[in-house]
Amino acid sequence: MSLNIKKGDKVTVLTGKSKGESGKVISVLTADKRVVVEGVNLVTEHNKPRKSTEQGGIITKEAPLDVSNVMLICPKCNKPCRTGVKTNFVDGKKVKVRICKKCGAEIATPDSTK
Ligand SMILES: [Zn+2]
């Protein structure tokens, strides 16, 4: 099953400590139904140097969020929206596009090939 959130989408967080924050999806973990959103749900990791030449330190990185906790922001009406699917015919081929259930705008998939 593919998720209705794609890499490159703008989403907003519905629940949890990052509720209300929004950002761009930088990674989709389809098997886990999780997404990584740029600048959201940051966790700090303490890195110990494994070799004497390595520098230890604290790094901040995004932890994945459950896809059910985020909602796509429609690029047209700029509001979090539920999506539907519409089938278009392009050169005689069926192409499924996502649509915003609020304003009906087609939502392009930013990185459909990845
Ligand atoms: Zn919309």
Side-chain angles (χ1 to χ4, degrees), residues 9-70:
D9 281 341
K10 206 180 168 200
V11 295
T12 187
V13 183
L14 304 173
T15 53
K17 72 179 173 90
S18 299
K19 185 179 175 179
E21 290 179 28
S22 58
K24 199 174 94 173
V25 176
I26 50 176
S27 179
V28 177
L29 313 166
T30 312
D32 296 333
K33 295 196 171 73
R34 284 170 171 264
V35 292
V36 180
V37 185
E38 192 173 46
V40 173
N41 202 29
L42 294 172
V43 291
T44 50
E45 280 188 357
H46 298 259
N47 268 7
K48 279 184 190 155
R50 278 162 294 178
K51 289 179 246 157
S52 58
T53 50
E54 273 183 354
Q55 273 198 322
I58 299 167
I59 56 159
T60 350
K61 65 172 200 172
E62 292 91 350
L65 292 155
D66 197 291
V67 76
S68 63
N69 291 343
V70 302

Side-chain angles (χ1 to χ4, degrees), residues 74-79 81 100-105 107:
C74 170
K76 183 93 182 279
C77 61
N78 215 24
K79 291 194 178 89
C81 65
C100 167
K101 283 195 173 172
K102 271 203 176 96
C103 69
I107 301 165

Side-chain angles (χ1 to χ4, degrees), residues 69-108:
N69 291 343
V70 302
M71 196 172 242
L72 183 70
I73 296 175
C74 170
K76 183 93 182 279
C77 61
N78 215 24
K79 291 194 178 89
C81 65
R82 291 187 180 281
T83 54
V85 176
K86 187 175 121 179
T87 306
N88 279 349
F89 288 91
V90 179
D91 296 332
K93 278 190 224 157
K94 278 186 188 177
V95 178
K96 280 185 180 170
V97 291
R98 295 175 298 166
I99 55 161
C100 167
K101 283 195 173 172
K102 271 203 176 96
C103 69
E106 291 182 11
I107 301 165

